[in-house]
Amino acid sequence: MGLVQEIDYGTPASSSQKQVTLTVDGFTVTVPEGTSIMRASMEAGIAIPKLCATDMVDAFGSCRLCLVEIDGRNGTPSSCTTPVAPGMVVHTQTGRLKDIRRGVMELYISDHPLDCLTCAANGDCELQTQAGVVGLRDVRYGYEGDNHVFKKNDGAENFKWMAKDESNPYFTYDPSKCIVCSRCVRACEEVQGTFALTIEGRGFGSRVSPGMHELFIDSECVSCGACVQACPTATLTEKSVIQIGQPEHSVVTTCAYCGVGCSFKAEMRGDELVRMVPYKDGKANRGHSCVKGRFAYGYSTHKDRILNPMIREKITDPWREVSWEEALTHTANEFRRIQYQYGRTAIGGITSSRCTNEETYLVQKLIRQGFRNNNVDTCARVCHSPTGYGLGQTFGTSAGTQDFDSVEHTDVVMVIGANPAAAHPVFASRLKKRLRQGAKLIVLDPRRTEMVKSPHVEAAHHLPLKPGTNVAVITSLAHVIVTEGLFDEAFIRERCDWDEFQDWATFVALPENSPEVVGKLANVDPEEIRGAARLFARGGNGAIYYGLGVTEHSQGSTTVIAIANLAMATGNVGRPGVGVNPLRGQNNVQGSCDMGSFPHELPGYRHVSGDAVRDIYESLWGVKLDDEPGLRIPNMLDAAVDGTFKGLYVQGEDILQSDPDTKHVAAGLAAMECVVVHDLFLNETANYAHVFLPGSTFLEKDGTFTNAERRINRVRKVMAPKNGLADWEVTQKLAQTMGLNWNYQHPSEIMDEIAKTTPSFASVSYDFLEKMGSVQWPCNEKAPEGTPIMHIDGFVRGKGKFIRTEYVATDERTGPRFPLLLTTGRILSQYNVGAQTRRTENIVWHSEDRLEIHPHDAENRGLRDGDWVRLTSRSGETTLRALITDRVSPGVVYTTFHHPDTQANVITTDFSDWATNCPEYKVTAVQVGASNGPSEWQREYDEQAKHSRRIATLEAAE
């Protein structure tokens, strides 16, 4: 197979529309104006030697290897920093240039270890390569003088030598091999935007330094890997490469973490994964990555992974390993028994937002064709279901409007209820780069997140609104825009219903929606509300990005509608740089919704009550489909407690840890007679399971993921499934065992069925994705190459719909017993319930959930940083350690939900969004006090979990 090779053009591409023609070594080449000579030469197939240049960062001109001669100009300018000009004649290989390059290279090598044969970068070292390119055959200078190479010189300590920094769990820093090209420093600044690295010292004493001469682990480094990727030597090297060796083949695939959907080259040696390298042609990430996608893949081979099917009669019994045939036959028999005994609707399933589109499609097909009901739901129920409802009502489609490239054209960005730096870090890096170029930022968030202030980026307005007041504050922004005449009348008259706009405008202009009234309600300065509204309306292209801080509220759907109203009122829909963009949490949560994972919708967001839509599937599947919506996840649990729902197939979700009101979830699961968990690990939900079907990782399957920008990306099989079957094969075998005539040979056939039955996917096929790289739905006859930007000439529903957004306070109220408000979120190094990231070295950055509490609230309770505290709500209590910080406002506390020993969701309530039942994770009234140890519930839970995870050992035959 070989390694997937990518051309490094040395400098970034120019976006100019004007073309320039020049001659390089006798060859004519035409490139955009502003292109460097180095890149133009590479376009002509002529590679100029280089060390400090790479096309991921701007030109620097420090290595002096890329010198050229230009007719009519004196000297030997560096080709990376010299732009092309019309009629320019360039020479890249003259006697003068060869002598200069050899001399420069000789100086580099004179202070570099010559351990090439044992160096981890052997075979992948640009210094080694360029030494050969320039024809270096001898180094005259030796190591007798100053050097950074040896620990001792003539038996004396060499104070210019520095020990290797091995503190980071994923890569090493060897200062002796640094050539001070500054590529790592520039990648950290320009690509990642963290500014964690610098060059310390001057002249010969220069070297790369994390922070103020710190270890990497102690510095501000976020371990995104950009510096490692940029390094031309072994100075920064993945520990996996040091341990395994250089890869010999690679496969392009898609990350299985957040909704950004980064493309990676999985670089292999045999069937062992050596490293994940960001793919420059990936249209979502453009060659960048974060610590999770780049390094946190070790869970795929973790010792906790279950590789054999298991069954047990009762949840108090130990697990018993069985064959696939026995496990699937047992499951099919149990589901048939339950339906015979309790009725057709007594079983259902939950699809996975971590599995592929094809696998999700098969699970909902199994439930509708095999179970003969619509009892199917997905994790979007507890995250972005309000997005589907709100955008569907206002725009006519249930997804974001832009591609990620759009952010490069925005002038004002409004981030609401999201922290991209932690949850969507690769997109955050692209956003921060645009902000450093001059775009303005508005943040609506109860916390002072990393987005509010970071190196060279500061929000023009931060509205630290009280949790639960989103609708009021966004409507107040609209109040300012309407009452001050800042709305885009021409856009509204052309693209929206003018009468509906006037009704909405009358509503938002009411005095109770003014910043002065809302400011008191939400604890926000009214002038900040006015300033933010004016900036968004007047600032040029305005884009809104939002997250779970919008949707996970009792008025989540109303808030999404309010956001859509704001975008339409200001004309910020239908072109680059604008739009309404939900930041989806999981890698395929968009795809799981697209594939018909909701109980009321078939694939493509078509309601089950539609006769024409059902006819498509009934004729194809050969069964009569139920025209009534099925049960949502909360309804399934309620019905289980009531005794009418008895069986559940859960693929790749951990509802016991991720869903609200943990005690209620546990009660529902415990009341069922057959819970089937299909996953990688014995997760928390598996504590209540009767059948465990081992899952496969994204490295072990073919398929597609659909990211937050509606981009359909290929997932390619890198290695054989360690459990023996890909997830789609497991679901197919279960369907066959239940009597269904499925016979898919490859996931491409499943996608063909999806395309045949789903209008927005009509032109999608694996062959087309191979040709295009990726594509954004809708992709059909009307949009043969996909749709990067939605609603360009008109909304999907026709006219954009303005809807009144009345603020209704949540029923979850603070009071004397519970005076604080708890809100929850994520952290950079961990992902969702932590099942994957907790089984990697990422644990060094976040080994436990902490409770953020304001110094004022902590002092009133006699708490110090690091103290164990008891967190109590009306639903339950847990204990964790305090983190005292002013990032949260007085009266607000915050924690993450990555660790099951904390189980933050034992605190959250069963209040939910009025339209979709999305839980209100972001508003829980709590009390915080000192604690001496785990709560009684935590002790009982831990004991039950340990008891439930026992696996019976097979006795040896006598």
Side-chain angles (χ1 to χ4, degrees):
M1 286 186 280
L3 290 167
V4 176
Q5 300 293 340
E6 296 179 274
I7 297 173
D8 187 344
Y9 290 92
T11 60
S14 169
S15 59
S16 174
Q17 298 299 309
K18 184 178 179 181
Q19 298 292 301
V20 172
T21 300
L22 69 156
T23 302
V24 180
D25 291 342
F27 292 91
T28 300
V29 59
T30 300
V31 294
E33 185 178 52
T35 301
S36 69
I37 292 175
M38 175 180 284
R39 188 178 182 97
S41 299
M42 199 67 213
E43 298 269 9
I46 299 167
I48 298 174
K50 58 182 173 56
L51 280 175
C52 74
T54 182
D55 56 15
M56 287 294 289
V57 294
D58 292 338
F60 198 55
S62 72
C63 76
R64 315 315 293 171
L65 276 186
C66 73
L67 307 180
V68 295
E69 291 186 341
I70 303 171
D71 286 357
R73 295 194 190 182
N74 294 326
T76 53
S78 56
S79 61
C80 65
T81 58
T82 306
V84 298
M88 178 182 278
V89 178
V90 178
H91 305 280
T92 70
Q93 189 77 349
T94 67
R96 180 187 183 192
L97 292 172
K98 288 189 284 186
D99 289 342
I100 294 173
R101 288 173 185 155
R102 274 194 295 269
V104 170
M105 182 58 73
E106 194 174 1
L107 291 171
Y108 276 117
I109 299 300
S110 72
D111 190 40
H112 195 84
L114 295 181
D115 59 350
C116 297
L117 291 179
T118 57
C119 178
N122 186 17
D124 187 33
C125 174
E126 292 182 45
L127 183 67
Q128 187 182 57
T129 300
Q130 295 302 330
V133 166
V134 304
L136 183 67
R137 299 293 176 259
D138 186 33
V139 179
R140 295 165 291 173
Y141 305 116
Y143 296 122
E144 288 75 20
D146 281 350
N147 70 79
H148 301 93
V149 179
F150 299 116
K151 185 175 182 179
K152 292 188 176 184
N153 279 338
D154 296 327
E157 292 293 331
N158 178 10
F159 294 104
K160 294 182 175 62
W161 178 86
M162 274 176 56
K164 185 185 292 188
D165 179 356
E166 308 246 20
S167 62
N168 188 286
Y170 295 121
F171 60 84
T172 65
Y173 167 49
D174 186 349
S176 72
K177 295 183 177 179
C178 180
I179 60 172
V180 201
C181 65
S182 294
R183 272 165 58 164
C184 59
V185 177
R186 289 180 287 142
C188 190
E189 294 176 0
E190 298 174 29
V191 180
Q192 169 57 28
T194 298
F195 293 78
L197 304 180
T198 188
I199 301 293
E200 66 177 11
R202 291 290 182 267
F204 188 72
S206 301
R207 69 182 89 218
V208 172
S209 172
M212 300 294 288
H213 201 77
E214 299 168 278
L215 294 174
F216 264 91
I217 197 69
D218 298 327
S219 72
E220 294 177 332
C221 170
V222 294
S223 299
C224 68
C227 60
V228 181
Q229 187 179 356
C231 182
T233 69
T235 307
L236 291 159
T237 307
E238 297 96 336
K239 289 183 176 179
S240 57
V241 172
I242 295 172
Q243 294 160 1
I244 301 169
Q246 288 294 330
E248 44 81 26
H249 74 271
S250 56
V251 179
V252 176
T253 190
T254 304
C255 179
Y257 278 116
C258 79
V260 174
C262 297
S263 296
F264 281 88
K265 294 183 294 183
E267 298 194 340
M268 310 288 295
R269 173 153 290 280
D271 64 351
E272 186 173 14
L273 180 58
V274 178
R275 63 184 174 190
M276 298 289 284
V277 178
Y279 187 47
K280 288 197 296 184
D281 287 340
K283 295 176 184 176
N285 58 318
R286 302 292 183 187
H288 190 35
S289 62
C290 80
V291 63
K292 294 188 286 287
R294 182 71 155 90
F295 297 117
Y297 50 80
Y299 66 88
S300 63
T301 55
H302 195 274
K303 61 181 177 60
D304 287 351
R305 187 172 170 190
I306 304 297
L307 300 179
N308 297 308
M310 302 187 297
I311 62 175
R312 58 184 175 184
E313 294 302 316
K314 303 189 295 293
I315 62 173
T316 54
D317 294 341
W319 287 103
R320 178 169 60 89
E321 290 188 353
V322 296
S323 66
W324 277 107
E325 182 181 5
E326 183 177 350
L328 294 171
T329 300
H330 175 80
T331 300
N333 290 340
E334 279 295 281
F335 281 164
R336 286 196 197 98
R337 176 189 66 78
I338 290 170
Q339 286 192 302
Y340 178 79
Q341 184 173 348
Y342 298 100
R344 179 170 51 84
T345 60
I347 62 174
I350 298 174
T351 71
S352 174
S353 293
R354 291 185 285 135
C355 290
T356 64
N357 286 316
E358 294 78 4
E359 289 161 344
T360 302
Y361 177 85
L362 288 191
V363 172
Q364 65 86 31
K365 180 178 179 179
L366 170 66
I367 292 161
R368 291 188 161 110
Q369 184 190 21
F371 296 1
R372 304 293 295 275
N373 63 49
N374 288 313
N375 292 339
V376 58
D377 211 347
T378 188
C379 90
R381 173 68 52 214
V382 300
C383 60
H384 270 284
S385 51
T387 287
Y389 180 86
L391 295 185
Q393 292 293 307
T394 51
F395 294 168
T397 189
S398 303
T401 62
Q402 314 294 114
D403 59 5
F404 287 140
D405 287 347
S406 173
V407 77
E408 297 174 6
H409 305 281
T410 193
D411 300 307
V412 181
V413 179
M414 187 180 294
V415 177
I416 310 175
N419 184 12
H424 303 85
V426 172
F427 168 72
S429 292
R430 298 185 70 178
L431 170 57
K432 288 191 284 187
K433 185 171 185 175
R434 180 60 186 153
L435 295 172
R436 292 195 303 273
Q437 293 169 347
K440 303 298 183 183
L441 176 65
I442 301 166
V443 175
L444 279 69
D445 201 290
R447 296 172 70 229
R448 191 180 69 249
T449 66
E450 294 92 329
M451 295 306 302
V452 174
K453 189 172 184 180
S454 60
H456 303 282
V457 171
E458 185 170 3
H461 299 281
H462 174 214
L463 279 55
L465 71 175
K466 179 182 176 182
T469 60
N470 288 344
V471 170
V473 172
I474 296 171
T475 303
S476 188
L477 293 170
H479 173 96
V480 176
I481 290 168
V482 167
T483 58
E484 297 186 7
L486 303 177
F487 54 88
D488 187 338
E489 182 175 345
F491 177 91
I492 297 165
R493 286 188 178 276
E494 179 186 351
R495 303 284 300 277
C496 307
D497 186 300
W498 181 252
D499 290 338
E500 288 176 347
F501 166 74
Q502 287 183 307
D503 177 72
W504 172 79
T506 301
F507 160 71
V508 299
L510 293 173
E512 55 262 37
N513 294 319
S514 68
E516 286 67 31
V517 174
V518 171
K520 292 178 182 177
L521 172 75
N523 296 335
V524 177
D525 182 352
E527 287 306 308
E528 284 293 307
I529 297 176
R530 290 190 178 276
R534 291 163 183 159
L535 175 60
F536 187 74
R538 295 172 176 166
N541 286 339
I544 300 174
Y545 294 89
Y546 69 89
L548 303 183
V550 162
T551 56
E552 291 177 345
H553 287 270
S554 60
Q555 280 199 288
S557 293
T558 312
T559 309
V560 175
I561 291 169
I563 288 170
N565 289 339
L566 199 64
M568 290 187 293
T570 53
N572 281 308
V573 183
R575 64 181 186 277
V578 300
V580 175
N581 306 280
L583 293 172
R584 298 276 187 164
Q586 297 200 56
N587 54 299
N588 200 39
V589 66
Q590 179 68 59
S592 69
C593 299
D594 300 341
M595 293 299 104
S597 294
F598 287 134
H600 66 291
E601 288 176 336
L602 289 159
Y605 304 98
R606 294 165 294 170
H607 202 278
V608 295
S609 63
D611 294 339
V613 177
R614 287 200 319 282
D615 285 346
I616 295 171
Y617 293 97
E618 288 174 350
S619 61
L620 183 65
W621 296 347
V623 297
K624 184 73 174 175
L625 297 183
D626 193 341
D627 62 355
E628 288 292 326
L631 299 176
R632 298 168 174 176
I633 293 173
N635 306 137
M636 294 181 196
L637 296 169
D638 291 342
V641 172
D642 292 340
T644 59
F645 188 86
K646 292 292 184 178
L648 184 65
Y649 173 36
V650 187
Q651 184 186 71
E653 292 294 337
D654 191 0
I655 60 172
L656 186 59
Q657 188 177 345
S658 65
D659 283 34
D661 197 354
T662 303
K663 292 179 181 178
H664 179 61
V665 178
L669 291 170
M672 298 183 199
E673 296 180 6
C674 184
V675 175
V676 180
V677 168
H678 182 181
D679 216 307
L680 301 175
F681 308 103
L682 282 173
N683 59 22
E684 307 310 305
T685 303
N687 295 345
Y688 293 88
H690 306 85
V691 179
F692 186 89
L693 303 177
S696 55
T697 72
F698 77 108
L699 298 167
E700 301 164 352
K701 62 180 76 171
D702 283 300
T704 57
F705 293 152
T706 306
N707 74 349
E709 49 171 0
R710 297 170 284 103
R711 185 177 302 283
I712 306 164
N713 255 322
R714 271 302 313 275
V715 179
R716 293 178 177 87
K717 187 176 178 179
V718 172
M719 60 182 70
K722 296 187 182 303
N723 63 331
L725 297 170
D727 292 330
W728 68 271
E729 294 175 296
V730 175
T731 303
Q732 173 163 276
K733 285 182 178 293
L734 176 58
Q736 291 168 341
T737 308
M738 294 191 71
L740 300 179
N741 187 28
W742 292 10
N743 191 31
Y744 302 105
Q745 300 300 309
H746 189 268
S748 61
E749 298 176 8
I750 306 171
M751 178 53 75
D752 290 342
E753 183 174 318
I754 295 167
K756 181 179 178 181
T757 56
T758 310
S760 55
F761 278 65
S763 296
V764 179
S765 69
Y766 279 32
D767 288 341
F768 187 65
L769 290 172
E770 288 295 329
K771 172 187 170 185
M772 298 293 293
S774 63
V775 68
Q776 291 171 264
W777 68 257
C779 180
N780 46 35
E781 285 186 5
K782 292 181 180 179
E785 294 190 357
T787 312
I789 297 175
M790 297 282 283
H791 317 299
I792 292 177
D793 298 317
F795 290 99
V796 171
R797 70 180 307 279
K799 294 285 189 179
K801 185 177 183 64
F802 282 93
I803 301 173
R804 289 187 175 215
T805 51
E806 298 272 1
Y807 168 65
V808 179
T810 174
D811 289 335
E812 179 69 358
R813 309 289 175 88
T814 56
R817 286 183 60 210
F818 304 107
L820 305 175
L821 284 176
L822 169 71
T823 187
T824 61
R826 300 181 180 182
I827 200 165
L828 171 64
S829 60
Q830 295 294 326
Y831 172 69
N832 208 30
V833 297
Q836 295 152 274
T837 44
R838 281 186 285 107
R839 292 176 171 92
T840 70
E841 295 296 334
N842 280 27
I843 204 76
V844 304
W845 290 289
H846 188 77
S847 59
E848 60 181 335
D849 294 319
R850 300 282 296 271
L851 183 73
E852 293 187 7
I853 184 169
H854 191 273
H856 175 75
D857 294 324
E859 184 177 358
N860 284 346
R861 289 162 175 78
L863 303 176
R864 294 174 296 181
D865 194 64
D867 282 356
W868 285 97
V869 298
R870 188 174 302 276
L871 180 65
T872 310
S873 74
R874 295 179 179 91
S875 295
E877 64 178 39
T878 188
T879 59
L880 66 171
R881 292 198 302 137
L883 177 64
I884 298 176
T885 174
D886 62 0
R887 291 181 63 180
V888 291
S889 302
V892 176
V893 292
Y894 168 90
T895 190
T896 52
F897 54 93
H898 303 304
H899 294 269
D901 50 359
T902 304
Q903 278 284 23
N905 281 325
V906 76
I907 300 299
T908 52
T909 68
D910 59 359
F911 292 123
S912 64
D913 174 52
W914 62 272
T916 66
N917 277 133
C918 183
E920 190 170 44
Y921 292 109
K922 304 304 184 187
V923 186
T924 306
V926 297
Q927 178 59 286
V928 176
S931 171
N932 293 323
S935 67
E936 181 180 351
W937 179 86
Q938 282 174 298
R939 288 192 292 269
E940 291 174 355
Y941 182 88
D942 184 60
E943 183 178 339
Q944 190 270 343
K946 288 178 180 176
H947 187 77
S948 177
R949 291 183 178 134
R950 293 169 300 145
I951 300 175
T953 55
L954 294 175
E955 295 182 6
E958 294 183 1

